[in-house]
Amino acid sequence: MALVPDIVGSYRRPRPVFSGLLARGADEKTGLVFLLLAMAMGFVSQLPGVSRRANLPDPEFEAAIAAERNDVRPIEGVEVPAGMVDAKFDALLSAEIMVWFLILPLVFYGVAMIGHLIAKLLGGKPDTTASRLALFWALVVAVPLKLFHGLVFGMIGPGPALSVVGFMWFAVLMWNWTMNLRVAGWEGPR
């Protein structure tokens, strides 16, 4: 499976690409790989922002870290970072790991089920695997814009540029998911 050409092709013609993906025998394992790939790249996209936030002053966050340092008993083999920036980076990185690898996969499985139910209510006949693949493939297709969004946040910070890139990411994600659900529910693989 040629992943990069399929991603590029999905920006121009999402329905034929997803239809071809289904025709090649994409199954539950493929969907899980797509979801994990999207989550890994989403996590990577957050690293510039985490670095930026760790280097900016935040008195409340720093006070919470200082209080935590005083309350924690030393554990053999575990070191608390000496510098505040390192401590903030570690805390923010831990939160991003939990969000991208624990919480969001479960959320996206739920969202895929909601999309499946909506397609059924609208008269489509998708199977649950194709419905999940529709969302997970749309997430993979939107990854380049998510990476760009992370770079904009890390380099420029909040503002109009970040909002525009975020809107573009969301629009590509929703457009691809809608087209993929159409293929999964009404057209089928070709």
Side-chain angles (χ1 to χ4, degrees), residues 85-150:
V85 171
D86 291 339
K88 289 185 343 185
F89 183 83
D90 287 354
L92 292 168
L93 190 65
S94 299
E96 291 294 339
I97 289 171
M98 188 170 72
V99 166
W100 284 98
F101 294 108
L102 218 72
I103 297 170
L104 282 180
L106 297 173
V107 168
F108 284 126
Y109 266 98
V111 170
M113 182 54 74
I114 291 169
H116 173 77
L117 295 174
I118 290 172
K120 283 190 143 215
L121 286 174
L122 294 175
K125 299 186 186 331
D127 68 345
T128 54
T129 301
S131 295
R132 282 190 291 275
L133 276 168
L135 177 60
F136 300 164
W137 176 246
L139 287 166
V140 170
V141 168
V143 157
L145 285 171
K146 184 63 182 159
L147 291 168
F148 185 55
H149 183 262

Tab-separated table of all heavy atoms in Angstrom, residues 85-150:
chain	number	residue	atom	x	y	z
A	85	VAL	N	12.173	24.776	33.724
A	85	VAL	CA	11.785	24.543	32.327
A	85	VAL	C	11.717	23.046	32.046
A	85	VAL	O	10.764	22.566	31.422
A	85	VAL	CB	12.763	25.253	31.353
A	85	VAL	CG1	12.490	24.844	29.911
A	85	VAL	CG2	12.656	26.760	31.500
A	86	ASP	N	12.698	22.301	32.523
A	86	ASP	CA	12.683	20.852	32.325
A	86	ASP	C	11.501	20.202	33.030
A	86	ASP	O	10.866	19.284	32.499
A	86	ASP	CB	13.985	20.221	32.838
A	86	ASP	CG	15.183	20.586	31.986
A	86	ASP	OD1	14.993	20.982	30.815
A	86	ASP	OD2	16.318	20.474	32.486
A	87	ALA	N	11.195	20.669	34.219
A	87	ALA	CA	10.066	20.117	34.977
A	87	ALA	C	8.748	20.413	34.260
A	87	ALA	O	7.876	19.545	34.163
A	87	ALA	CB	10.046	20.681	36.390
A	88	LYS	N	8.606	21.647	33.751
A	88	LYS	CA	7.388	21.987	33.013
A	88	LYS	C	7.286	21.166	31.733
A	88	LYS	O	6.215	20.660	31.388
A	88	LYS	CB	7.360	23.491	32.692
A	88	LYS	CG	7.123	24.330	33.904
A	88	LYS	CD	6.952	25.822	33.697
A	88	LYS	CE	7.370	26.454	32.462
A	88	LYS	NZ	7.262	27.910	32.440
A	89	PHE	N	8.411	21.008	31.013
A	89	PHE	CA	8.413	20.223	29.776
A	89	PHE	C	8.011	18.779	30.065
A	89	PHE	O	7.183	18.210	29.355
A	89	PHE	CB	9.792	20.272	29.118
A	89	PHE	CG	9.849	19.548	27.801
A	89	PHE	CD1	9.425	20.175	26.639
A	89	PHE	CD2	10.308	18.247	27.716
A	89	PHE	CE1	9.456	19.524	25.419
A	89	PHE	CE2	10.352	17.584	26.515
A	89	PHE	CZ	9.916	18.215	25.348
A	90	ASP	N	8.574	18.184	31.122
A	90	ASP	CA	8.229	16.802	31.474
A	90	ASP	C	6.744	16.665	31.806
A	90	ASP	O	6.092	15.705	31.399
A	90	ASP	CB	9.067	16.324	32.655
A	90	ASP	CG	10.511	16.056	32.283
A	90	ASP	OD1	10.844	16.126	31.077
A	90	ASP	OD2	11.308	15.779	33.206
A	91	ALA	N	6.209	17.619	32.568
A	91	ALA	CA	4.795	17.559	32.945
A	91	ALA	C	3.896	17.697	31.713
A	91	ALA	O	2.930	16.940	31.540
A	91	ALA	CB	4.481	18.648	33.958
A	92	LEU	N	4.222	18.653	30.853
A	92	LEU	CA	3.414	18.862	29.648
A	92	LEU	C	3.532	17.678	28.691
A	92	LEU	O	2.539	17.260	28.088
A	92	LEU	CB	3.834	20.155	28.949
A	92	LEU	CG	3.523	21.445	29.707
A	92	LEU	CD1	4.230	22.629	29.063
A	92	LEU	CD2	2.024	21.681	29.760
A	93	LEU	N	4.716	17.123	28.564
A	93	LEU	CA	4.929	15.972	27.694
A	93	LEU	C	4.151	14.758	28.197
A	93	LEU	O	3.535	14.030	27.414
A	93	LEU	CB	6.414	15.660	27.590
A	93	LEU	CG	6.815	14.632	26.538
A	93	LEU	CD1	6.511	15.165	25.144
A	93	LEU	CD2	8.288	14.305	26.669
A	94	SER	N	4.150	14.555	29.495
A	94	SER	CA	3.386	13.444	30.080
A	94	SER	C	1.896	13.589	29.783
A	94	SER	O	1.218	12.611	29.459
A	94	SER	CB	3.600	13.381	31.591
A	94	SER	OG	4.944	13.160	31.888
A	95	ALA	N	1.405	14.806	29.896
A	95	ALA	CA	-0.006	15.047	29.596
A	95	ALA	C	-0.310	14.765	28.131
A	95	ALA	O	-1.344	14.151	27.802
A	95	ALA	CB	-0.371	16.490	29.946
A	96	GLU	N	0.565	15.194	27.232
A	96	GLU	CA	0.343	14.947	25.802
A	96	GLU	C	0.367	13.449	25.488
A	96	GLU	O	-0.422	12.965	24.671
A	96	GLU	CB	1.394	15.671	24.958
A	96	GLU	CG	1.276	17.173	24.971
A	96	GLU	CD	0.012	17.708	24.314
A	96	GLU	OE1	-0.601	16.994	23.493
A	96	GLU	OE2	-0.355	18.846	24.620
A	97	ILE	N	1.267	12.710	26.119
A	97	ILE	CA	1.322	11.256	25.898
A	97	ILE	C	0.004	10.617	26.327
A	97	ILE	O	-0.555	9.788	25.608
A	97	ILE	CB	2.518	10.635	26.650
A	97	ILE	CG1	3.828	11.039	25.971
A	97	ILE	CG2	2.397	9.118	26.728
A	97	ILE	CD1	5.078	10.669	26.744
A	98	MET	N	-0.499	11.014	27.484
A	98	MET	CA	-1.745	10.438	27.967
A	98	MET	C	-2.907	10.786	27.029
A	98	MET	O	-3.727	9.928	26.702
A	98	MET	CB	-2.051	10.920	29.380
A	98	MET	CG	-3.236	10.200	29.987
A	98	MET	SD	-3.462	10.506	31.725
A	98	MET	CE	-4.032	12.174	31.726
A	99	VAL	N	-2.956	12.029	26.577
A	99	VAL	CA	-4.041	12.453	25.695
A	99	VAL	C	-3.987	11.716	24.361
A	99	VAL	O	-4.982	11.148	23.906
A	99	VAL	CB	-3.997	13.984	25.476
A	99	VAL	CG1	-4.874	14.411	24.317
A	99	VAL	CG2	-4.406	14.705	26.744
A	100	TRP	N	-2.817	11.711	23.714
A	100	TRP	CA	-2.721	11.189	22.353
A	100	TRP	C	-2.719	9.661	22.284
A	100	TRP	O	-3.098	9.101	21.262
A	100	TRP	CB	-1.493	11.757	21.650
A	100	TRP	CG	-1.734	13.159	21.233
A	100	TRP	CD1	-1.356	14.287	21.891
A	100	TRP	CD2	-2.450	13.604	20.083
A	100	TRP	NE1	-1.791	15.404	21.222
A	100	TRP	CE2	-2.467	15.010	20.104
A	100	TRP	CE3	-3.078	12.944	19.030
A	100	TRP	CZ2	-3.086	15.767	19.124
A	100	TRP	CZ3	-3.695	13.713	18.038
A	100	TRP	CH2	-3.700	15.099	18.103
A	101	PHE	N	-2.276	8.977	23.320
A	101	PHE	CA	-2.182	7.520	23.241
A	101	PHE	C	-3.167	6.779	24.140
A	101	PHE	O	-3.307	5.567	24.018
A	101	PHE	CB	-0.754	7.057	23.539
A	101	PHE	CG	0.209	7.504	22.495
A	101	PHE	CD1	1.134	8.505	22.765
A	101	PHE	CD2	0.184	6.969	21.221
A	101	PHE	CE1	2.013	8.935	21.794
A	101	PHE	CE2	1.056	7.395	20.242
A	101	PHE	CZ	1.979	8.385	20.527
A	102	LEU	N	-3.868	7.489	25.018
A	102	LEU	CA	-4.826	6.824	25.893
A	102	LEU	C	-6.239	7.326	25.657
A	102	LEU	O	-7.154	6.531	25.440
A	102	LEU	CB	-4.419	7.087	27.356
A	102	LEU	CG	-4.597	5.944	28.324
A	102	LEU	CD1	-3.564	4.874	28.051
A	102	LEU	CD2	-4.474	6.447	29.734
A	103	ILE	N	-6.412	8.637	25.686
A	103	ILE	CA	-7.752	9.212	25.639
A	103	ILE	C	-8.281	9.336	24.214
A	103	ILE	O	-9.380	8.863	23.900
A	103	ILE	CB	-7.766	10.576	26.360
A	103	ILE	CG1	-7.427	10.360	27.839
A	103	ILE	CG2	-9.108	11.264	26.213
A	103	ILE	CD1	-7.179	11.619	28.620
A	104	LEU	N	-7.529	9.987	23.332
A	104	LEU	CA	-8.029	10.236	21.976
A	104	LEU	C	-8.348	8.971	21.172
A	104	LEU	O	-9.328	8.972	20.432
A	104	LEU	CB	-7.079	11.143	21.205
A	104	LEU	CG	-7.172	12.625	21.565
A	104	LEU	CD1	-6.193	13.444	20.747
A	104	LEU	CD2	-8.577	13.156	21.385
A	105	PRO	N	-7.568	7.896	21.256
A	105	PRO	CA	-7.993	6.694	20.521
A	105	PRO	C	-9.389	6.216	20.922
A	105	PRO	O	-10.202	5.854	20.064
A	105	PRO	CB	-6.926	5.657	20.870
A	105	PRO	CG	-5.712	6.459	21.143
A	105	PRO	CD	-6.225	7.704	21.828
A	106	LEU	N	-9.691	6.258	22.216
A	106	LEU	CA	-11.022	5.856	22.670
A	106	LEU	C	-12.086	6.832	22.176
A	106	LEU	O	-13.175	6.419	21.758
A	106	LEU	CB	-11.049	5.764	24.192
A	106	LEU	CG	-10.128	4.711	24.807
A	106	LEU	CD1	-10.119	4.831	26.319
A	106	LEU	CD2	-10.518	3.319	24.360
A	107	VAL	N	-11.765	8.119	22.208
A	107	VAL	CA	-12.702	9.129	21.703
A	107	VAL	C	-12.982	8.903	20.223
A	107	VAL	O	-14.144	8.939	19.781
A	107	VAL	CB	-12.149	10.555	21.957
A	107	VAL	CG1	-12.952	11.599	21.189
A	107	VAL	CG2	-12.139	10.858	23.442
A	108	PHE	N	-11.935	8.631	19.434
A	108	PHE	CA	-12.139	8.453	18.006
A	108	PHE	C	-12.902	7.170	17.689
A	108	PHE	O	-13.651	7.125	16.717
A	108	PHE	CB	-10.816	8.521	17.246
A	108	PHE	CG	-10.301	9.929	17.110
A	108	PHE	CD1	-9.021	10.260	17.522
A	108	PHE	CD2	-11.099	10.933	16.597
A	108	PHE	CE1	-8.552	11.556	17.406
A	108	PHE	CE2	-10.648	12.232	16.482
A	108	PHE	CZ	-9.368	12.544	16.884
A	109	TYR	N	-12.745	6.129	18.487
A	109	TYR	CA	-13.582	4.940	18.294
A	109	TYR	C	-15.050	5.290	18.543
A	109	TYR	O	-15.942	4.840	17.820
A	109	TYR	CB	-13.133	3.791	19.211
A	109	TYR	CG	-12.170	2.844	18.548
A	109	TYR	CD1	-10.807	2.955	18.759
A	109	TYR	CD2	-12.622	1.844	17.699
A	109	TYR	CE1	-9.908	2.090	18.148
A	109	TYR	CE2	-11.738	0.968	17.079
A	109	TYR	CZ	-10.385	1.100	17.308
A	109	TYR	OH	-9.507	0.248	16.694
A	110	GLY	N	-15.317	6.106	19.557
A	110	GLY	CA	-16.686	6.550	19.819
A	110	GLY	C	-17.234	7.428	18.709
A	110	GLY	O	-18.387	7.270	18.287
A	111	VAL	N	-16.417	8.344	18.214
A	111	VAL	CA	-16.844	9.219	17.116
A	111	VAL	C	-17.121	8.397	15.857
A	111	VAL	O	-18.086	8.659	15.130
A	111	VAL	CB	-15.784	10.315	16.849
A	111	VAL	CG1	-16.070	11.073	15.573
A	111	VAL	CG2	-15.712	11.269	18.037
A	112	ALA	N	-16.296	7.388	15.610
A	112	ALA	CA	-16.523	6.523	14.445
A	112	ALA	C	-17.854	5.788	14.575
A	112	ALA	O	-18.579	5.626	13.581
A	112	ALA	CB	-15.376	5.525	14.300
A	113	MET	N	-18.201	5.367	15.774
A	113	MET	CA	-19.490	4.699	15.980
A	113	MET	C	-20.639	5.666	15.742
A	113	MET	O	-21.655	5.298	15.151
A	113	MET	CB	-19.559	4.106	17.386
A	113	MET	CG	-20.851	3.358	17.671
A	113	MET	SD	-21.234	2.067	16.455
A	113	MET	CE	-20.069	0.835	16.910
A	114	ILE	N	-20.490	6.903	16.174
A	114	ILE	CA	-21.527	7.909	15.928
A	114	ILE	C	-21.681	8.141	14.426
A	114	ILE	O	-22.794	8.228	13.905
A	114	ILE	CB	-21.202	9.222	16.668
A	114	ILE	CG1	-21.343	9.005	18.179
A	114	ILE	CG2	-22.094	10.361	16.200
A	114	ILE	CD1	-20.813	10.136	19.027
A	115	GLY	N	-20.559	8.231	13.700
A	115	GLY	CA	-20.630	8.372	12.244
A	115	GLY	C	-21.314	7.188	11.596
A	115	GLY	O	-22.101	7.350	10.653
A	116	HIS	N	-21.041	5.990	12.095
A	116	HIS	CA	-21.684	4.781	11.586
A	116	HIS	C	-23.203	4.862	11.781
A	116	HIS	O	-23.978	4.560	10.863
A	116	HIS	CB	-21.115	3.556	12.302
A	116	HIS	CG	-21.806	2.288	11.995
A	116	HIS	ND1	-21.614	1.607	10.811
A	116	HIS	CD2	-22.708	1.559	12.706
A	116	HIS	CE1	-22.360	0.518	10.812
A	116	HIS	NE2	-23.016	0.475	11.957
A	117	LEU	N	-23.626	5.278	12.982
A	117	LEU	CA	-25.060	5.378	13.268
A	117	LEU	C	-25.725	6.458	12.412
A	117	LEU	O	-26.849	6.266	11.928
A	117	LEU	CB	-25.281	5.647	14.753
A	117	LEU	CG	-24.851	4.526	15.698
A	117	LEU	CD1	-24.970	4.966	17.148
A	117	LEU	CD2	-25.662	3.265	15.439
A	118	ILE	N	-25.044	7.580	12.218
A	118	ILE	CA	-25.606	8.641	11.368
A	118	ILE	C	-25.748	8.153	9.933
A	118	ILE	O	-26.770	8.404	9.281
A	118	ILE	CB	-24.743	9.919	11.454
A	118	ILE	CG1	-24.893	10.555	12.835
A	118	ILE	CG2	-25.108	10.915	10.353
A	118	ILE	CD1	-23.953	11.702	13.109
A	119	ALA	N	-24.750	7.449	9.416
A	119	ALA	CA	-24.843	6.914	8.060
A	119	ALA	C	-26.006	5.938	7.939
A	119	ALA	O	-26.720	5.935	6.935
A	119	ALA	CB	-23.533	6.228	7.669
A	120	LYS	N	-26.235	5.120	8.958
A	120	LYS	CA	-27.374	4.183	8.931
A	120	LYS	C	-28.694	4.935	8.973
A	120	LYS	O	-29.643	4.561	8.280
A	120	LYS	CB	-27.282	3.200	10.094
A	120	LYS	CG	-26.274	2.117	9.863
A	120	LYS	CD	-26.409	1.046	10.926
A	120	LYS	CE	-26.163	-0.246	10.229
A	120	LYS	NZ	-26.864	-1.367	10.616
A	121	LEU	N	-28.763	5.993	9.796
A	121	LEU	CA	-30.000	6.783	9.868
A	121	LEU	C	-30.315	7.474	8.548
A	121	LEU	O	-31.482	7.695	8.216
A	121	LEU	CB	-29.892	7.823	10.986
A	121	LEU	CG	-30.007	7.301	12.416
A	121	LEU	CD1	-29.728	8.423	13.406
A	121	LEU	CD2	-31.379	6.701	12.667
A	122	LEU	N	-29.275	7.814	7.793
A	122	LEU	CA	-29.472	8.477	6.502
A	122	LEU	C	-29.701	7.490	5.360
A	122	LEU	O	-29.779	7.891	4.201
A	122	LEU	CB	-28.265	9.376	6.190
A	122	LEU	CG	-28.077	10.568	7.127
A	122	LEU	CD1	-26.792	11.307	6.795
A	122	LEU	CD2	-29.275	11.505	7.054
A	123	GLY	N	-29.783	6.205	5.681
A	123	GLY	CA	-30.104	5.210	4.664
A	123	GLY	C	-28.928	4.436	4.121
A	123	GLY	O	-29.090	3.617	3.221
A	124	GLY	N	-27.755	4.663	4.627
A	124	GLY	CA	-26.580	3.925	4.171
A	124	GLY	C	-26.508	2.554	4.820
A	124	GLY	O	-27.197	2.275	5.799
A	125	LYS	N	-25.676	1.717	4.272
A	125	LYS	CA	-25.500	0.377	4.814
A	125	LYS	C	-24.012	0.068	5.037
A	125	LYS	O	-23.505	-0.912	4.508
A	125	LYS	CB	-26.107	-0.642	3.860
A	125	LYS	CG	-27.592	-0.440	3.662
A	125	LYS	CD	-28.177	-1.531	2.837
A	125	LYS	CE	-29.604	-1.337	2.477
A	125	LYS	NZ	-30.461	-0.621	3.300
A	126	PRO	N	-23.345	0.911	5.832
A	126	PRO	CA	-21.920	0.634	6.069
A	126	PRO	C	-21.743	-0.461	7.108
A	126	PRO	O	-22.583	-0.625	7.991
A	126	PRO	CB	-21.395	1.967	6.608
A	126	PRO	CG	-22.570	2.544	7.319
A	126	PRO	CD	-23.780	2.120	6.519
A	127	ASP	N	-20.681	-1.237	6.970
A	127	ASP	CA	-20.355	-2.118	8.075
A	127	ASP	C	-19.499	-1.326	9.061
A	127	ASP	O	-18.968	-0.275	8.725
A	127	ASP	CB	-19.697	-3.417	7.608
A	127	ASP	CG	-18.308	-3.216	7.032
A	127	ASP	OD1	-17.950	-2.067	6.721
A	127	ASP	OD2	-17.591	-4.212	6.884
A	128	THR	N	-19.394	-1.828	10.280
A	128	THR	CA	-18.712	-1.051	11.318
A	128	THR	C	-17.229	-0.863	11.020
A	128	THR	O	-16.666	0.192	11.312
A	128	THR	CB	-18.891	-1.727	12.689
A	128	THR	OG1	-18.463	-3.082	12.598
A	128	THR	CG2	-20.331	-1.671	13.136
A	129	THR	N	-16.598	-1.869	10.397
A	129	THR	CA	-15.178	-1.737	10.076
A	129	THR	C	-14.959	-0.626	9.062
A	129	THR	O	-14.049	0.192	9.215
A	129	THR	CB	-14.630	-3.069	9.538
A	129	THR	OG1	-14.817	-4.069	10.538
A	129	THR	CG2	-13.157	-2.962	9.204
A	130	ALA	N	-15.781	-0.584	8.020
A	130	ALA	CA	-15.648	0.475	7.007
A	130	ALA	C	-15.917	1.848	7.603
A	130	ALA	O	-15.269	2.831	7.228
A	130	ALA	CB	-16.580	0.209	5.834
A	131	SER	N	-16.838	1.927	8.556
A	131	SER	CA	-17.116	3.212	9.207
A	131	SER	C	-15.915	3.683	10.023
A	131	SER	O	-15.579	4.867	10.011
A	131	SER	CB	-18.330	3.086	10.128
A	131	SER	OG	-19.489	2.817	9.384
A	132	ARG	N	-15.282	2.763	10.736
A	132	ARG	CA	-14.087	3.133	11.493
A	132	ARG	C	-12.952	3.515	10.552
A	132	ARG	O	-12.248	4.494	10.773
A	132	ARG	CB	-13.658	1.992	12.416
A	132	ARG	CG	-14.487	1.896	13.669
A	132	ARG	CD	-13.891	0.934	14.655
A	132	ARG	NE	-13.962	-0.443	14.214
A	132	ARG	CZ	-15.010	-1.242	14.380
A	132	ARG	NH1	-16.085	-0.771	14.973
A	132	ARG	NH2	-14.969	-2.490	13.967
A	133	LEU	N	-12.776	2.735	9.501
A	133	LEU	CA	-11.735	3.059	8.522
A	133	LEU	C	-11.951	4.435	7.911
A	133	LEU	O	-10.991	5.144	7.619
A	133	LEU	CB	-11.698	2.009	7.414
A	133	LEU	CG	-10.894	0.758	7.701
A	133	LEU	CD1	-11.183	-0.297	6.648
A	133	LEU	CD2	-9.424	1.056	7.747
A	134	ALA	N	-13.209	4.804	7.702
A	134	ALA	CA	-13.517	6.112	7.117
A	134	ALA	C	-12.942	7.237	7.973
A	134	ALA	O	-12.304	8.156	7.454
A	134	ALA	CB	-15.032	6.273	6.960
A	135	LEU	N	-13.149	7.157	9.288
A	135	LEU	CA	-12.625	8.198	10.173
A	135	LEU	C	-11.115	8.095	10.316
A	135	LEU	O	-10.402	9.104	10.236
A	135	LEU	CB	-13.281	8.119	11.554
A	135	LEU	CG	-12.744	9.114	12.584
A	135	LEU	CD1	-12.948	10.559	12.126
A	135	LEU	CD2	-13.379	8.878	13.934
A	136	PHE	N	-10.610	6.895	10.520
A	136	PHE	CA	-9.184	6.735	10.768
A	136	PHE	C	-8.360	7.135	9.548
A	136	PHE	O	-7.291	7.715	9.678
A	136	PHE	CB	-8.861	5.320	11.212
A	136	PHE	CG	-9.557	4.897	12.490
A	136	PHE	CD1	-9.632	3.566	12.832
A	136	PHE	CD2	-10.146	5.826	13.338
A	136	PHE	CE1	-10.265	3.159	14.005
A	136	PHE	CE2	-10.788	5.442	14.510
A	136	PHE	CZ	-10.841	4.101	14.839
A	137	TRP	N	-8.851	6.828	8.341
A	137	TRP	CA	-8.147	7.252	7.137
A	137	TRP	C	-8.208	8.775	7.002
A	137	TRP	O	-7.233	9.409	6.609
A	137	TRP	CB	-8.703	6.557	5.896
A	137	TRP	CG	-8.047	7.050	4.644
A	137	TRP	CD1	-8.622	7.759	3.632
A	137	TRP	CD2	-6.668	6.887	4.272
A	137	TRP	NE1	-7.695	8.056	2.677
A	137	TRP	CE2	-6.489	7.532	3.038
A	137	TRP	CE3	-5.577	6.272	4.873
A	137	TRP	CZ2	-5.256	7.577	2.389
A	137	TRP	CZ3	-4.357	6.312	4.230
A	137	TRP	CH2	-4.208	6.956	3.003
A	138	ALA	N	-9.347	9.381	7.339
A	138	ALA	CA	-9.455	10.844	7.283
A	138	ALA	C	-8.461	11.489	8.244
A	138	ALA	O	-7.870	12.532	7.931
A	138	ALA	CB	-10.881	11.282	7.611
A	139	LEU	N	-8.247	10.887	9.405
A	139	LEU	CA	-7.249	11.403	10.345
A	139	LEU	C	-5.846	11.335	9.756
A	139	LEU	O	-5.058	12.273	9.893
A	139	LEU	CB	-7.303	10.622	11.661
A	139	LEU	CG	-8.494	10.888	12.563
A	139	LEU	CD1	-8.598	9.822	13.644
A	139	LEU	CD2	-8.397	12.266	13.175
A	140	VAL	N	-5.538	10.226	9.082
A	140	VAL	CA	-4.214	10.084	8.455
A	140	VAL	C	-4.040	11.118	7.346
A	140	VAL	O	-2.975	11.734	7.216
A	140	VAL	CB	-4.003	8.648	7.922
A	140	VAL	CG1	-2.755	8.564	7.059
A	140	VAL	CG2	-3.916	7.670	9.069
A	141	VAL	N	-5.082	11.333	6.563
A	141	VAL	CA	-5.011	12.302	5.464
A	141	VAL	C	-4.775	13.715	6.001
A	141	VAL	O	-4.043	14.501	5.392
A	141	VAL	CB	-6.297	12.244	4.602
A	141	VAL	CG1	-6.381	13.417	3.643
A	141	VAL	CG2	-6.369	10.927	3.855
A	142	ALA	N	-5.337	14.030	7.151
A	142	ALA	CA	-5.206	15.377	7.715
A	142	ALA	C	-3.901	15.571	8.492
A	142	ALA	O	-3.623	16.679	8.948
A	142	ALA	CB	-6.404	15.676	8.621
A	143	VAL	N	-3.093	14.526	8.641
A	143	VAL	CA	-1.851	14.605	9.410
A	143	VAL	C	-0.908	15.713	8.930
A	143	VAL	O	-0.356	16.443	9.759
A	143	VAL	CB	-1.143	13.231	9.447
A	143	VAL	CG1	0.342	13.354	9.706
A	143	VAL	CG2	-1.759	12.358	10.515
A	144	PRO	N	-0.666	15.892	7.623
A	144	PRO	CA	0.259	16.973	7.226
A	144	PRO	C	-0.168	18.349	7.730
A	144	PRO	O	0.671	19.134	8.184
A	144	PRO	CB	0.248	16.913	5.696
A	144	PRO	CG	-0.107	15.501	5.382
A	144	PRO	CD	-1.072	15.089	6.461
A	145	LEU	N	-1.467	18.619	7.694
A	145	LEU	CA	-1.931	19.906	8.210
A	145	LEU	C	-1.824	19.974	9.730
A	145	LEU	O	-1.569	21.044	10.292
A	145	LEU	CB	-3.369	20.170	7.765
A	145	LEU	CG	-3.506	20.578	6.300
A	145	LEU	CD1	-4.958	20.594	5.883
A	145	LEU	CD2	-2.863	21.927	6.064
A	146	LYS	N	-1.997	18.851	10.404
A	146	LYS	CA	-1.832	18.826	11.869
A	146	LYS	C	-0.383	19.109	12.243
A	146	LYS	O	-0.107	19.844	13.198
A	146	LYS	CB	-2.287	17.474	12.423
A	146	LYS	CG	-2.253	17.388	13.921
A	146	LYS	CD	-3.224	18.377	14.543
A	146	LYS	CE	-3.162	18.321	16.051
A	146	LYS	NZ	-3.679	19.546	16.656
A	147	LEU	N	0.553	18.545	11.487
A	147	LEU	CA	1.968	18.824	11.730
A	147	LEU	C	2.282	20.300	11.488
A	147	LEU	O	3.030	20.928	12.255
A	147	LEU	CB	2.843	17.933	10.851
A	147	LEU	CG	2.846	16.444	11.207
A	147	LEU	CD1	3.505	15.632	10.110
A	147	LEU	CD2	3.515	16.214	12.542
A	148	PHE	N	1.710	20.866	10.430
A	148	PHE	CA	1.901	22.289	10.140
A	148	PHE	C	1.289	23.148	11.257
A	148	PHE	O	1.877	24.148	11.677
A	148	PHE	CB	1.293	22.635	8.778
A	148	PHE	CG	1.536	24.044	8.334
A	148	PHE	CD1	2.818	24.560	8.264
A	148	PHE	CD2	0.480	24.864	7.982
A	148	PHE	CE1	3.050	25.863	7.858
A	148	PHE	CE2	0.691	26.162	7.573
A	148	PHE	CZ	1.976	26.670	7.511
A	149	HIS	N	0.134	22.734	11.755
A	149	HIS	CA	-0.521	23.438	12.855
A	149	HIS	C	0.389	23.473	14.085
A	149	HIS	O	0.521	24.507	14.748
A	149	HIS	CB	-1.851	22.738	13.174
A	149	HIS	CG	-2.654	23.395	14.229
A	149	HIS	ND1	-2.645	22.965	15.541
A	149	HIS	CD2	-3.502	24.455	14.187
A	149	HIS	CE1	-3.453	23.723	16.249
A	149	HIS	NE2	-3.985	24.636	15.460
A	150	GLY	N	1.030	22.342	14.377
A	150	GLY	CA	1.950	22.292	15.510
A	150	GLY	C	3.146	23.210	15.325
A	150	GLY	O	3.596	23.860	16.271
